[in-house]
Amino acid sequence: MEDYNLLLSIIIPTKNRHNQLLDTLKAHNFWPENLKKQIEIVISDNSDSSIELNLLEEIKNIFPNVHYQNSRSFLTISDNFTLGLNISKGKWIVFIGDDDFFMPSIIQAIYTNEASNVDCMIYNPNKYYWKNCIFTNKNVAGGPGTLVLSNSWEQKKIDPKEELMRSLKNGGLTIEKMPRAYHGIIKRSVMKSCCLATSDEMLLGSPDVSIATILSCSNISVLSIPGSPTIYGASDGSGGGMTTSKTHVQTLDKASFLSKSFKIKWNETIPKYWSEYTVFPASILYVIEEYKLKQPAKLNHAAIYISCLFYEIQFFKDILLSFGSLNSKEVFNFLKMFPYTFIRKAGGLIVRRINKKRNTDVFYSIEPNEIIKYDF
C-alpha cells in the first residue's frame, strides 16, 4: 500500500500556454494557507521551452507544493495526461486544464465522502469564460468574463456500467455520469489499477473519454455530489475557447495532438474528422474494441450522424463516406429518427438565439479572482 503525504494532486497538462497557466494559478490566491499544504500542483508541460524561472517562482509563491516537469519532445495530449499521472503523489487526483479552476470545497468533498469507501466523485462543473475568449458560437450561453452555473447534481451512488450504456444509447456524444478523472475526483490507486496497468496507449483519442470508459467497465464505487469543486475554463486557444469560436473541428490529418495509431484504428462507422461529435464515440469504441471490454449496449449511430449533419455540414463528404459503412438496421434507425430530431434541434436553436438570457444563473463581468464567491 502506498503512503500518501498529500491529500490531493491537481494535475494540469499544458502546452505553450505559460502566461495563461500563470494567470489561472494567480487567481487561486484565495485558497486558505492551511488547505494549500494538503495539495500539490502537478504541471505536465509539453511546451517548446521550459517555463521561465521567475514565472515558476511566482507559482511556488502561491502554492508550496509544485511538481513541474517539461518534456520538449513531441507528446500527444494523451501522452501528456499519462506523464502528469505518473509523477503525481496525492491520495486523490483530479485533472484540469490550464484555464480551469479548483475550489477549496474540493477538500471538504473528499473529507466528507472518503469514509464511505467511495473510489470516485463526480459532479456537474460550472463554466467560466475568460475575457480573451472569442465568441462566434451563438449557441453557447454567456460571453467573455461570464460565469455560468450548472445544475447541481444530488448526492447519489452511480452505477458506472449503466451510465456507459446510457452514453452509448445517446450516441456516445457525452460521458453522462460516467466516472472520470478530468473534472472528477478519483483515488490515485484506482487510476493505477484500472488505467496505468492497462497499457500506455489506454488514453489514445480523447483522454477524458477513454478514462471514463475504462473506469465504467471496472468494479469501482462512484458517487455523484452536489456543487462544483472545479470549474471549466474557456480561453483563447483552449478546447473550451475553440468551442465558443466554432473552431473545435478539423480534419484528422491536422489533428496533430491525436496519435497516429488512434487515427489508423478510428472506427469506420464514425465520420473521419475531429470534433466533439466524432472523437467522443470514436474514443469509446476504441477502448471497448482494443481491450475487448464487454459493451453494455449498441452505439446509437443515428444520434451521431444527425448531430454531425446539423452542426458540421461542412464535412458532408466525410459524413456521407462513413455513412456507407453502417448496416441496414442502423440506416433505418437514422431515417426514422432524422425528421423529429432535426426539427427538435432546429427549434431549440431558434429559442436559444432569441432568448439569450434564458439562464438566470449567468453572472457577468466576473474577474478570475472573484470566482471564490461562487464556491457553494
Side-chain angles (χ1 to χ4, degrees), residues 262-280:
F262 179 70
K263 293 177 186 178
I264 292 172
K265 296 179 180 180
W266 186 281
N267 190 285
E268 64 177 3
T269 64
I270 308 297
K272 291 188 176 181
Y273 64 92
W274 177 79
S275 80
E276 295 177 18
Y277 301 112
T278 61
V279 75
F280 272 41

Side-chain angles (χ1 to χ4, degrees), residues 38-308:
Q38 301 184 57
I39 70 172
E40 68 167 344
I41 308 298
V42 178
I43 302 171
S44 181
D45 184 13
N46 189 218
S47 300
D48 298 331
S49 60
S50 297
I51 194 168
E52 295 177 15
L53 288 177
N54 63 317
L55 298 183
L56 189 58
E57 285 304 313
E58 286 192 60
I59 294 173
K60 290 182 177 180
N61 286 335
I62 302 171
F63 291 97
N65 303 310
V66 176
H67 193 162
Y68 173 79
Q69 183 158 324
N70 173 258
S71 300
R72 296 188 191 182
S73 58
F74 174 77
L75 297 177
T76 64
I77 187 172
S78 304
D79 296 330
N80 214 11
F81 259 71
T82 303
L83 178 61
L85 179 58
N86 282 332
I87 64 178
S88 64
K89 297 179 180 178
K91 182 178 180 181
W92 296 82
I93 63 171
V94 58
F95 282 92
I96 63 170
D98 55 22
D99 55 2
D100 297 338
F101 296 82
F102 47 97
M103 311 302 280
S105 60
I106 195 171
I107 301 296
Q108 185 59 47
I110 293 174
Y111 281 137
T112 300
N113 297 297
E114 69 175 347
S116 61
N117 203 31
V118 64
D119 297 313
C120 179
M121 288 170 273
I122 60 173
Y123 45 88
N124 196 16
N126 299 330
K127 300 177 181 68
Y128 177 72
Y129 298 99
W130 289 75
K131 290 187 176 180
N132 63 5
C133 206
I134 300 170
F135 263 77
T136 56
N137 190 342
K138 297 180 180 179
N139 301 321
V140 178
T146 60
L147 177 68
V148 181
L149 303 190
S150 303
N151 293 324
S152 183
W153 290 346
E154 64 177 318
Q155 182 144 329
K156 181 181 178 182
K157 282 194 172 183
I158 299 295
D159 185 329
K161 292 181 176 62
E162 282 190 10
E163 291 305 319
L164 175 57
M165 180 172 64
R166 193 191 315 276
S167 176
L168 289 166
K169 288 182 176 180
N170 290 331
L173 300 175
T174 70
I175 57 175
E176 306 289 338
K177 290 185 178 179
M178 292 161 61
R180 65 198 66 172
Y182 180 66
H183 286 280
I185 312 165
I186 186 167
K187 286 180 178 175
R188 187 176 186 278
S189 59
V190 170
M191 283 292 292
K192 287 180 65 178
S193 62
C194 293
C195 297
L196 287 180
T198 307
S199 168
D200 289 339
E201 294 192 340
M202 184 278 299
L203 298 180
L204 294 182
S206 175
D208 49 331
V209 178
S210 299
I211 290 172
T213 306
I214 286 282
L215 294 174
S216 293
C217 295
S218 307
N219 294 318
I220 65 171
S221 173
V222 184
L223 185 71
S224 67
I225 60 174
S228 180
T230 61
I231 295 177
Y232 286 128
S235 61
D236 185 26
S238 73
M242 292 171 71
T243 297
T244 64
S245 62
K246 298 184 73 173
T247 56
H248 209 210
V249 56
Q250 55 189 279
T251 58
L252 282 184
D253 60 302
K254 292 183 179 179
S256 60
F257 43 83
L258 293 177
S259 74
K260 291 182 180 179
S261 176
F262 179 70
K263 293 177 186 178
I264 292 172
K265 296 179 180 180
W266 186 281
N267 190 285
E268 64 177 3
T269 64
I270 308 297
K272 291 188 176 181
Y273 64 92
W274 177 79
S275 80
E276 295 177 18
Y277 301 112
T278 61
V279 75
F280 272 41
S283 297
I284 292 175
L285 288 184
Y286 172 83
V287 170
I288 289 174
E289 294 167 358
E290 192 71 8
Y291 300 106
K292 298 178 174 57
L293 302 175
K294 185 177 180 181
Q295 185 168 327
K298 290 185 177 181
L299 179 66
N300 183 353
H301 285 86
I304 300 170
Y305 280 87
I306 292 172
S307 294
C308 289

